[in-house]
Amino acid sequence: TVRSVGGAWAAGGGLAIDGQGGTDAVTVGGSVVFEGNELTVSAETITIESGATIGSATDPAGSVRLTAFASDETTTSDPALLEVRAASITINGSINASGSITAAAEVARSVEVSEPSGLDLTLPSQSSASVVVNGGSLSGSSIGLSALTGGNVAGAAGGMLTIDFTETATIELIGAVLQAGRLDIAAGSSTEYS
């Protein structure tokens, strides 16, 4: 977990933060100047706090890519091991880029459970992907915001099978200022249940 990022990076180098395995959160809580370089952040939860800035109008970052991704690390076969999976990006501050700004949240499920003994089987869980720009401002050549849930959830039971999954994929723009030559927004759920 990275609590906060703040400071300046010299010309010639970008910054990549990758949470890798486990559940990670990255919070940008100060002003970060990139002198035209790229910023890439990957974690399950990404927050740009109110008052925080990435790049500035006079010294923008190059491209900024925020990727929140959550998944079942292996195919889950025990219903007791099913967990809520969530990927979220919250932008309360500002991002200024000379290139593109991308904020993509995605949840990918891989669940396959069987109960051959003739007992009833219930598969409960939640998948949530969200991108929220709340009072934040984004300025770049293009802006892409996406929230997607997908994957496969399969069950087989000798008795009754109940798949009780809740999926949400949301993009919220609340008092947001977006400036770009192109704006792409996509939210969708495409998990296959069987």
Side-chain angles (χ1 to χ4, degrees):
T1 298
V2 175
R3 170 61 191 121
S4 63
V5 175
W9 276 264
L15 176 64
I17 300 171
D18 188 346
Q20 297 184 348
T23 302
D24 303 293
V26 174
T27 299
V28 177
S31 297
V32 184
V33 178
F34 285 91
E35 298 179 355
N37 294 297
E38 293 185 7
L39 170 65
T40 302
V41 178
S42 300
E44 284 78 6
T45 303
I46 301 168
T47 304
I48 311 300
E49 292 182 336
S50 180
T53 61
I54 295 173
S56 68
T58 58
D59 192 6
S63 293
V64 175
R65 179 161 187 80
L66 308 176
T67 303
F69 182 75
S71 68
D72 298 304
E73 293 186 20
T74 60
T75 299
T76 301
S77 59
D78 182 348
L81 299 178
L82 288 176
E83 295 181 20
V84 171
R85 298 287 180 215
S88 69
I89 299 170
T90 304
I91 302 169
N92 299 320
S94 65
I95 300 175
N96 295 286
S98 58
S100 62
I101 298 171
T102 303
E106 181 180 359
V107 175
R109 301 308 303 249
S110 179
V111 176
E112 188 173 326
V113 179
S114 65
E115 176 54 67
S117 65
L119 299 174
D120 294 345
L121 177 63
T122 299
L123 302 179
S125 193
Q126 296 177 5
S127 299
S128 172
S130 67
V131 175
V132 177
V133 183
N134 186 0
S137 68
L138 307 177
S139 177
S141 62
S142 64
I143 297 172
L145 308 174
S146 65
L148 305 169
T149 61
N152 295 296
V153 176
M160 178 180 281
L161 172 64
T162 303
I163 298 177
D164 184 18
F165 264 61
T166 302
E167 282 186 272
T168 58
T170 58
I171 306 253
E172 292 183 71
L173 303 174
I174 305 163
V177 176
L178 307 178
Q179 297 176 324
R182 178 183 173 135
L183 174 63
D184 295 308
I185 297 176
S189 297
S190 63
T191 302
E192 294 183 22
Y193 298 97
S194 59

PDB file of all heavy atoms in Angstrom, residues 76-107:
ATOM      1  N   THR A  76     -11.884 -19.899  -8.355  1.00  0.00           N
ATOM      2  CA  THR A  76     -12.421 -20.216  -7.035  1.00  0.00           C
ATOM      3  C   THR A  76     -13.345 -21.418  -7.156  1.00  0.00           C
ATOM      4  O   THR A  76     -14.271 -21.415  -7.955  1.00  0.00           O
ATOM      5  CB  THR A  76     -13.194 -19.015  -6.465  1.00  0.00           C
ATOM      6  OG1 THR A  76     -12.280 -17.915  -6.396  1.00  0.00           O
ATOM      7  CG2 THR A  76     -13.738 -19.303  -5.088  1.00  0.00           C
ATOM      8  N   SER A  77     -13.086 -22.454  -6.359  1.00  0.00           N
ATOM      9  CA  SER A  77     -13.914 -23.660  -6.435  1.00  0.00           C
ATOM     10  C   SER A  77     -14.687 -23.931  -5.145  1.00  0.00           C
ATOM     11  O   SER A  77     -15.526 -24.804  -5.111  1.00  0.00           O
ATOM     12  CB  SER A  77     -13.041 -24.872  -6.780  1.00  0.00           C
ATOM     13  OG  SER A  77     -12.037 -25.032  -5.799  1.00  0.00           O
ATOM     14  N   ASP A  78     -14.411 -23.180  -4.087  1.00  0.00           N
ATOM     15  CA  ASP A  78     -15.093 -23.362  -2.810  1.00  0.00           C
ATOM     16  C   ASP A  78     -15.970 -22.146  -2.539  1.00  0.00           C
ATOM     17  O   ASP A  78     -15.464 -21.026  -2.433  1.00  0.00           O
ATOM     18  CB  ASP A  78     -14.046 -23.519  -1.699  1.00  0.00           C
ATOM     19  CG  ASP A  78     -14.651 -23.760  -0.327  1.00  0.00           C
ATOM     20  OD1 ASP A  78     -15.874 -23.584  -0.159  1.00  0.00           O
ATOM     21  OD2 ASP A  78     -13.885 -24.105   0.588  1.00  0.00           O
ATOM     22  N   PRO A  79     -17.307 -22.330  -2.425  1.00  0.00           N
ATOM     23  CA  PRO A  79     -18.174 -21.165  -2.207  1.00  0.00           C
ATOM     24  C   PRO A  79     -17.818 -20.379  -0.954  1.00  0.00           C
ATOM     25  O   PRO A  79     -18.058 -19.176  -0.883  1.00  0.00           O
ATOM     26  CB  PRO A  79     -19.578 -21.749  -2.104  1.00  0.00           C
ATOM     27  CG  PRO A  79     -19.471 -23.209  -2.270  1.00  0.00           C
ATOM     28  CD  PRO A  79     -18.049 -23.568  -2.489  1.00  0.00           C
ATOM     29  N   ALA A  80     -17.216 -21.020   0.032  1.00  0.00           N
ATOM     30  CA  ALA A  80     -16.835 -20.324   1.265  1.00  0.00           C
ATOM     31  C   ALA A  80     -15.690 -19.342   1.017  1.00  0.00           C
ATOM     32  O   ALA A  80     -15.450 -18.443   1.818  1.00  0.00           O
ATOM     33  CB  ALA A  80     -16.443 -21.332   2.339  1.00  0.00           C
ATOM     34  N   LEU A  81     -14.979 -19.513  -0.101  1.00  0.00           N
ATOM     35  CA  LEU A  81     -13.848 -18.642  -0.413  1.00  0.00           C
ATOM     36  C   LEU A  81     -14.219 -17.472  -1.321  1.00  0.00           C
ATOM     37  O   LEU A  81     -13.350 -16.669  -1.661  1.00  0.00           O
ATOM     38  CB  LEU A  81     -12.719 -19.458  -1.054  1.00  0.00           C
ATOM     39  CG  LEU A  81     -12.131 -20.569  -0.189  1.00  0.00           C
ATOM     40  CD1 LEU A  81     -11.060 -21.328  -0.952  1.00  0.00           C
ATOM     41  CD2 LEU A  81     -11.567 -20.010   1.110  1.00  0.00           C
ATOM     42  N   LEU A  82     -15.478 -17.384  -1.725  1.00  0.00           N
ATOM     43  CA  LEU A  82     -15.890 -16.272  -2.581  1.00  0.00           C
ATOM     44  C   LEU A  82     -15.767 -14.958  -1.822  1.00  0.00           C
ATOM     45  O   LEU A  82     -16.185 -14.852  -0.677  1.00  0.00           O
ATOM     46  CB  LEU A  82     -17.329 -16.458  -3.053  1.00  0.00           C
ATOM     47  CG  LEU A  82     -17.559 -17.553  -4.081  1.00  0.00           C
ATOM     48  CD1 LEU A  82     -19.042 -17.681  -4.388  1.00  0.00           C
ATOM     49  CD2 LEU A  82     -16.785 -17.278  -5.348  1.00  0.00           C
ATOM     50  N   GLU A  83     -15.176 -13.974  -2.463  1.00  0.00           N
ATOM     51  CA  GLU A  83     -14.989 -12.671  -1.842  1.00  0.00           C
ATOM     52  C   GLU A  83     -15.581 -11.587  -2.723  1.00  0.00           C
ATOM     53  O   GLU A  83     -15.736 -11.768  -3.929  1.00  0.00           O
ATOM     54  CB  GLU A  83     -13.491 -12.383  -1.660  1.00  0.00           C
ATOM     55  CG  GLU A  83     -12.799 -13.313  -0.697  1.00  0.00           C
ATOM     56  CD  GLU A  83     -11.323 -12.967  -0.534  1.00  0.00           C
ATOM     57  OE1 GLU A  83     -10.940 -11.824  -0.856  1.00  0.00           O
ATOM     58  OE2 GLU A  83     -10.577 -13.831  -0.093  1.00  0.00           O
ATOM     59  N   VAL A  84     -15.877 -10.464  -2.122  1.00  0.00           N
ATOM     60  CA  VAL A  84     -16.272  -9.284  -2.870  1.00  0.00           C
ATOM     61  C   VAL A  84     -15.036  -8.802  -3.625  1.00  0.00           C
ATOM     62  O   VAL A  84     -13.941  -8.753  -3.064  1.00  0.00           O
ATOM     63  CB  VAL A  84     -16.790  -8.188  -1.921  1.00  0.00           C
ATOM     64  CG1 VAL A  84     -16.993  -6.875  -2.656  1.00  0.00           C
ATOM     65  CG2 VAL A  84     -18.063  -8.640  -1.233  1.00  0.00           C
ATOM     66  N   ARG A  85     -15.209  -8.452  -4.887  1.00  0.00           N
ATOM     67  CA  ARG A  85     -14.113  -7.894  -5.686  1.00  0.00           C
ATOM     68  C   ARG A  85     -14.512  -6.484  -6.092  1.00  0.00           C
ATOM     69  O   ARG A  85     -15.596  -6.265  -6.628  1.00  0.00           O
ATOM     70  CB  ARG A  85     -13.842  -8.732  -6.937  1.00  0.00           C
ATOM     71  CG  ARG A  85     -13.422 -10.149  -6.651  1.00  0.00           C
ATOM     72  CD  ARG A  85     -12.009 -10.207  -6.111  1.00  0.00           C
ATOM     73  NE  ARG A  85     -11.641 -11.593  -5.852  1.00  0.00           N
ATOM     74  CZ  ARG A  85     -10.878 -11.977  -4.879  1.00  0.00           C
ATOM     75  NH1 ARG A  85     -10.378 -11.080  -4.043  1.00  0.00           N
ATOM     76  NH2 ARG A  85     -10.588 -13.236  -4.703  1.00  0.00           N
ATOM     77  N   ALA A  86     -13.622  -5.525  -5.822  1.00  0.00           N
ATOM     78  CA  ALA A  86     -13.914  -4.130  -6.143  1.00  0.00           C
ATOM     79  C   ALA A  86     -12.677  -3.449  -6.715  1.00  0.00           C
ATOM     80  O   ALA A  86     -11.555  -3.681  -6.247  1.00  0.00           O
ATOM     81  CB  ALA A  86     -14.387  -3.388  -4.894  1.00  0.00           C
ATOM     82  N   ALA A  87     -12.901  -2.637  -7.727  1.00  0.00           N
ATOM     83  CA  ALA A  87     -11.860  -1.804  -8.322  1.00  0.00           C
ATOM     84  C   ALA A  87     -12.425  -0.393  -8.401  1.00  0.00           C
ATOM     85  O   ALA A  87     -13.522  -0.189  -8.938  1.00  0.00           O
ATOM     86  CB  ALA A  87     -11.499  -2.318  -9.715  1.00  0.00           C
ATOM     87  N   SER A  88     -11.693   0.585  -7.848  1.00  0.00           N
ATOM     88  CA  SER A  88     -12.242   1.941  -7.845  1.00  0.00           C
ATOM     89  C   SER A  88     -11.170   2.998  -8.053  1.00  0.00           C
ATOM     90  O   SER A  88     -10.035   2.857  -7.599  1.00  0.00           O
ATOM     91  CB  SER A  88     -12.993   2.216  -6.545  1.00  0.00           C
ATOM     92  OG  SER A  88     -12.083   2.290  -5.463  1.00  0.00           O
ATOM     93  N   ILE A  89     -11.592   4.047  -8.757  1.00  0.00           N
ATOM     94  CA  ILE A  89     -10.758   5.232  -8.962  1.00  0.00           C
ATOM     95  C   ILE A  89     -11.603   6.431  -8.557  1.00  0.00           C
ATOM     96  O   ILE A  89     -12.720   6.601  -9.046  1.00  0.00           O
ATOM     97  CB  ILE A  89     -10.311   5.369 -10.428  1.00  0.00           C
ATOM     98  CG1 ILE A  89      -9.474   4.151 -10.840  1.00  0.00           C
ATOM     99  CG2 ILE A  89      -9.541   6.674 -10.633  1.00  0.00           C
ATOM    100  CD1 ILE A  89      -9.180   4.080 -12.319  1.00  0.00           C
ATOM    101  N   THR A  90     -11.069   7.239  -7.641  1.00  0.00           N
ATOM    102  CA  THR A  90     -11.758   8.452  -7.200  1.00  0.00           C
ATOM    103  C   THR A  90     -10.832   9.638  -7.434  1.00  0.00           C
ATOM    104  O   THR A  90      -9.706   9.659  -6.917  1.00  0.00           O
ATOM    105  CB  THR A  90     -12.140   8.368  -5.710  1.00  0.00           C
ATOM    106  OG1 THR A  90     -12.934   7.200  -5.514  1.00  0.00           O
ATOM    107  CG2 THR A  90     -12.912   9.596  -5.265  1.00  0.00           C
ATOM    108  N   ILE A  91     -11.308  10.593  -8.220  1.00  0.00           N
ATOM    109  CA  ILE A  91     -10.509  11.783  -8.534  1.00  0.00           C
ATOM    110  C   ILE A  91     -11.228  12.990  -7.954  1.00  0.00           C
ATOM    111  O   ILE A  91     -12.264  13.416  -8.463  1.00  0.00           O
ATOM    112  CB  ILE A  91     -10.305  11.937 -10.053  1.00  0.00           C
ATOM    113  CG1 ILE A  91      -9.623  10.683 -10.623  1.00  0.00           C
ATOM    114  CG2 ILE A  91      -9.491  13.200 -10.350  1.00  0.00           C
ATOM    115  CD1 ILE A  91      -9.597  10.612 -12.126  1.00  0.00           C
ATOM    116  N   ASN A  92     -10.673  13.510  -6.853  1.00  0.00           N
ATOM    117  CA  ASN A  92     -11.206  14.716  -6.215  1.00  0.00           C
ATOM    118  C   ASN A  92     -10.314  15.919  -6.507  1.00  0.00           C
ATOM    119  O   ASN A  92     -10.723  17.054  -6.279  1.00  0.00           O
ATOM    120  CB  ASN A  92     -11.321  14.522  -4.705  1.00  0.00           C
ATOM    121  CG  ASN A  92     -12.251  13.382  -4.343  1.00  0.00           C
ATOM    122  OD1 ASN A  92     -13.290  13.201  -4.957  1.00  0.00           O
ATOM    123  ND2 ASN A  92     -11.867  12.593  -3.360  1.00  0.00           N
ATOM    124  N   GLY A  93      -9.110  15.681  -6.982  1.00  0.00           N
ATOM    125  CA  GLY A  93      -8.146  16.738  -7.293  1.00  0.00           C
ATOM    126  C   GLY A  93      -8.101  17.000  -8.782  1.00  0.00           C
ATOM    127  O   GLY A  93      -9.091  16.811  -9.494  1.00  0.00           O
ATOM    128  N   SER A  94      -6.937  17.433  -9.288  1.00  0.00           N
ATOM    129  CA  SER A  94      -6.839  17.777 -10.705  1.00  0.00           C
ATOM    130  C   SER A  94      -5.692  17.035 -11.382  1.00  0.00           C
ATOM    131  O   SER A  94      -4.673  16.725 -10.764  1.00  0.00           O
ATOM    132  CB  SER A  94      -6.667  19.286 -10.883  1.00  0.00           C
ATOM    133  OG  SER A  94      -5.434  19.708 -10.346  1.00  0.00           O
ATOM    134  N   ILE A  95      -5.915  16.744 -12.672  1.00  0.00           N
ATOM    135  CA  ILE A  95      -4.900  16.128 -13.521  1.00  0.00           C
ATOM    136  C   ILE A  95      -4.776  16.987 -14.772  1.00  0.00           C
ATOM    137  O   ILE A  95      -5.766  17.236 -15.473  1.00  0.00           O
ATOM    138  CB  ILE A  95      -5.270  14.684 -13.912  1.00  0.00           C
ATOM    139  CG1 ILE A  95      -5.427  13.814 -12.667  1.00  0.00           C
ATOM    140  CG2 ILE A  95      -4.216  14.113 -14.859  1.00  0.00           C
ATOM    141  CD1 ILE A  95      -5.914  12.397 -12.956  1.00  0.00           C
ATOM    142  N   ASN A  96      -3.552  17.445 -15.040  1.00  0.00           N
ATOM    143  CA  ASN A  96      -3.254  18.226 -16.242  1.00  0.00           C
ATOM    144  C   ASN A  96      -2.216  17.469 -17.047  1.00  0.00           C
ATOM    145  O   ASN A  96      -1.111  17.209 -16.554  1.00  0.00           O
ATOM    146  CB  ASN A  96      -2.699  19.606 -15.856  1.00  0.00           C
ATOM    147  CG  ASN A  96      -3.715  20.444 -15.118  1.00  0.00           C
ATOM    148  OD1 ASN A  96      -4.645  20.945 -15.722  1.00  0.00           O
ATOM    149  ND2 ASN A  96      -3.550  20.566 -13.812  1.00  0.00           N
ATOM    150  N   ALA A  97      -2.570  17.114 -18.292  1.00  0.00           N
ATOM    151  CA  ALA A  97      -1.671  16.326 -19.127  1.00  0.00           C
ATOM    152  C   ALA A  97      -1.641  16.889 -20.540  1.00  0.00           C
ATOM    153  O   ALA A  97      -2.658  17.360 -21.052  1.00  0.00           O
ATOM    154  CB  ALA A  97      -2.123  14.868 -19.160  1.00  0.00           C
ATOM    155  N   SER A  98      -0.476  16.830 -21.172  1.00  0.00           N
ATOM    156  CA  SER A  98      -0.384  17.225 -22.571  1.00  0.00           C
ATOM    157  C   SER A  98      -0.865  16.083 -23.462  1.00  0.00           C
ATOM    158  O   SER A  98      -1.299  16.304 -24.588  1.00  0.00           O
ATOM    159  CB  SER A  98       1.056  17.607 -22.927  1.00  0.00           C
ATOM    160  OG  SER A  98       1.928  16.514 -22.672  1.00  0.00           O
ATOM    161  N   GLY A  99      -0.814  14.870 -22.959  1.00  0.00           N
ATOM    162  CA  GLY A  99      -1.295  13.693 -23.685  1.00  0.00           C
ATOM    163  C   GLY A  99      -2.639  13.236 -23.158  1.00  0.00           C
ATOM    164  O   GLY A  99      -3.440  14.036 -22.659  1.00  0.00           O
ATOM    165  N   SER A 100      -2.873  11.941 -23.215  1.00  0.00           N
ATOM    166  CA  SER A 100      -4.166  11.383 -22.819  1.00  0.00           C
ATOM    167  C   SER A 100      -4.235  11.137 -21.311  1.00  0.00           C
ATOM    168  O   SER A 100      -3.221  10.953 -20.645  1.00  0.00           O
ATOM    169  CB  SER A 100      -4.416  10.066 -23.559  1.00  0.00           C
ATOM    170  OG  SER A 100      -3.424   9.122 -23.195  1.00  0.00           O
ATOM    171  N   ILE A 101      -5.474  11.150 -20.811  1.00  0.00           N
ATOM    172  CA  ILE A 101      -5.761  10.765 -19.432  1.00  0.00           C
ATOM    173  C   ILE A 101      -6.726   9.592 -19.508  1.00  0.00           C
ATOM    174  O   ILE A 101      -7.783   9.682 -20.142  1.00  0.00           O
ATOM    175  CB  ILE A 101      -6.417  11.904 -18.631  1.00  0.00           C
ATOM    176  CG1 ILE A 101      -5.468  13.114 -18.555  1.00  0.00           C
ATOM    177  CG2 ILE A 101      -6.810  11.431 -17.232  1.00  0.00           C
ATOM    178  CD1 ILE A 101      -6.119  14.367 -17.976  1.00  0.00           C
ATOM    179  N   THR A 102      -6.346   8.476 -18.871  1.00  0.00           N
ATOM    180  CA  THR A 102      -7.193   7.288 -18.859  1.00  0.00           C
ATOM    181  C   THR A 102      -7.412   6.854 -17.414  1.00  0.00           C
ATOM    182  O   THR A 102      -6.458   6.731 -16.653  1.00  0.00           O
ATOM    183  CB  THR A 102      -6.525   6.125 -19.634  1.00  0.00           C
ATOM    184  OG1 THR A 102      -6.240   6.557 -20.965  1.00  0.00           O
ATOM    185  CG2 THR A 102      -7.421   4.908 -19.670  1.00  0.00           C
ATOM    186  N   ALA A 103      -8.670   6.633 -17.052  1.00  0.00           N
ATOM    187  CA  ALA A 103      -9.025   6.079 -15.739  1.00  0.00           C
ATOM    188  C   ALA A 103      -9.913   4.868 -16.016  1.00  0.00           C
ATOM    189  O   ALA A 103     -11.049   5.014 -16.471  1.00  0.00           O
ATOM    190  CB  ALA A 103      -9.747   7.106 -14.888  1.00  0.00           C
ATOM    191  N   ALA A 104      -9.372   3.669 -15.777  1.00  0.00           N
ATOM    192  CA  ALA A 104     -10.075   2.429 -16.114  1.00  0.00           C
ATOM    193  C   ALA A 104     -10.152   1.524 -14.891  1.00  0.00           C
ATOM    194  O   ALA A 104      -9.122   1.145 -14.326  1.00  0.00           O
ATOM    195  CB  ALA A 104      -9.348   1.703 -17.247  1.00  0.00           C
ATOM    196  N   ALA A 105     -11.394   1.196 -14.473  1.00  0.00           N
ATOM    197  CA  ALA A 105     -11.614   0.275 -13.360  1.00  0.00           C
ATOM    198  C   ALA A 105     -12.261  -0.992 -13.918  1.00  0.00           C
ATOM    199  O   ALA A 105     -13.223  -0.913 -14.681  1.00  0.00           O
ATOM    200  CB  ALA A 105     -12.520   0.913 -12.315  1.00  0.00           C
ATOM    201  N   GLU A 106     -11.723  -2.154 -13.527  1.00  0.00           N
ATOM    202  CA  GLU A 106     -12.243  -3.417 -14.056  1.00  0.00           C
ATOM    203  C   GLU A 106     -12.187  -4.506 -12.994  1.00  0.00           C
ATOM    204  O   GLU A 106     -11.216  -4.613 -12.255  1.00  0.00           O
ATOM    205  CB  GLU A 106     -11.440  -3.865 -15.274  1.00  0.00           C
ATOM    206  CG  GLU A 106     -11.938  -5.160 -15.875  1.00  0.00           C
ATOM    207  CD  GLU A 106     -11.142  -5.612 -17.089  1.00  0.00           C
ATOM    208  OE1 GLU A 106     -10.200  -4.911 -17.499  1.00  0.00           O
ATOM    209  OE2 GLU A 106     -11.463  -6.688 -17.615  1.00  0.00           O
ATOM    210  N   VAL A 107     -13.242  -5.333 -12.967  1.00  0.00           N
ATOM    211  CA  VAL A 107     -13.278  -6.527 -12.122  1.00  0.00           C
ATOM    212  C   VAL A 107     -13.489  -7.722 -13.046  1.00  0.00           C
ATOM    213  O   VAL A 107     -14.396  -7.718 -13.876  1.00  0.00           O
ATOM    214  CB  VAL A 107     -14.410  -6.451 -11.077  1.00  0.00           C
ATOM    215  CG1 VAL A 107     -14.508  -7.765 -10.304  1.00  0.00           C
ATOM    216  CG2 VAL A 107     -14.173  -5.296 -10.123  1.00  0.00           C
TER     217      VAL A 107
END
